[in-house]
């Protein structure tokens, strides 16, 4: 991959707050050579269904047609706010690759325990409609990948190209910035939203 090839990484930070209402999202545009080009932020509702739209809004506000890939950290942000990867790929007109960092048995049991009725059914349906998750090895470390708009081998190559240590760089940068913004909001340095 060429050093100047850009990916948008989107990650969140949520820690218990008094209001408990929102999670901080950050989108970071990072080149394959690890240079950070741009940043945008948004929020999504904790326990809501708006993470996909919040990510699409980050994309629209960035207005970066030079970005080739969208990477997202996980598929269920902010207490089971499940991302619709296909809808995000359509909104961005880019391939979307979701990366998680730990092996798990999935989220169905957690969703079933946390929600009832329509809230449970909606989240389970969204989760079950996600592409299959597969394990890949990058620098001897297991990562777990789902992708829309790229075949498995191509998606794995994108993750490999942007991973310089433990996480793909666009996701590492986005997570760090989201965490700092979230902390500043909790400490009253920044307004809540």
């Amino acid at each position: 991959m060429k050093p100047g090839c850009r990916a948008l990484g989107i990650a969140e930070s949520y820690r218990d707050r008094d209001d408990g209402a929102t999670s901080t999202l950050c989108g970071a545009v990072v080149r394959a050579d690890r240079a950070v080009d741009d940043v945008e932020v948004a929020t999504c509702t904790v326990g809501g269904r708006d993470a996909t739209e919040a990510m699409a809004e980050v994309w629209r506000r960035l207005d970066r047609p030079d970005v080739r890939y969208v990477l997202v950290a996980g598929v269920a942000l902010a207490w089971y706010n499940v991302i619709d990867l296909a809808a995000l790929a359509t909104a961005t007109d880019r391939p979307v690759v979701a990366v998680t960092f730990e092996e798990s048995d999935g989220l169905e049991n957690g969703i079933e325990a946390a929600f009832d009725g329509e809230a449970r059914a909606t989240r389970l349906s969204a989760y079950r409609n996600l592409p299959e998750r597969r394990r890949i090895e990058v620098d001897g470390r297991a990562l777990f990948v789902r992708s829309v708009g790229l075949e498995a081998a191509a998606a794995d190559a994108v993750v490999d190209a942007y991973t310089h240590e433990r996480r793909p760089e666009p996701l590492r940068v986005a997570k760090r910035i989201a965490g700092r913004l979230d902390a500043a909001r909790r400490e009253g340095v920044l307004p809540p939203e």
Side-chain angles (χ1 to χ4, degrees), residues 101 143 162-169 171-172 175:
F101 308 97
L143 296 174
Y162 284 94
T163 302
H164 301 284
E165 289 183 16
R166 299 175 52 162
R167 295 175 183 254
E169 194 69 1
L171 297 179
R172 188 191 72 77
K175 180 71 173 173

Side-chain angles (χ1 to χ4, degrees), residues 18-159:
D18 291 338
D19 67 358
T22 60
S23 178
T24 303
L25 295 179
C26 178
V29 176
V30 179
R31 297 182 347 188
D33 65 4
R34 300 176 18 179
V36 178
D37 261 10
D38 211 343
V39 173
E40 183 58 72
V41 296
T43 60
C44 67
T45 307
V46 174
R49 292 285 300 128
D50 59 349
T52 304
E53 179 53 34
M55 290 181 172
E57 183 60 26
V58 165
W59 170 263
R60 287 188 290 272
R61 287 197 310 247
L62 280 167
D63 191 24
R64 293 291 304 257
D66 57 335
V67 169
R68 294 198 42 208
Y69 309 103
V70 176
L71 306 177
V72 297
V75 295
L77 310 181
W79 198 53
Y80 302 112
N81 196 329
V82 180
I83 302 164
D84 183 335
L85 298 178
L88 185 59
T90 298
T92 61
D93 193 28
R94 299 294 185 274
V96 174
V97 181
V99 181
T100 53
F101 308 97
E102 296 175 12
E103 196 154 3
S104 78
D105 293 327
L107 301 177
E108 289 190 29
N109 289 340
I111 292 169
E112 288 175 354
F115 298 95
D116 293 316
E118 183 62 27
R120 176 191 289 169
T122 301
R123 282 167 182 78
L124 284 174
S125 176
Y127 179 69
R128 290 173 179 153
N129 284 329
L130 290 170
E132 189 73 24
R133 184 170 99 137
R134 62 192 178 283
R135 178 188 172 114
I136 67 170
E137 294 284 327
V138 178
D139 294 331
R141 180 175 169 81
L143 296 174
F144 302 88
V145 175
R146 301 173 196 259
S147 58
V148 173
L150 287 174
E151 292 186 17
D156 298 351
V158 168
V159 172

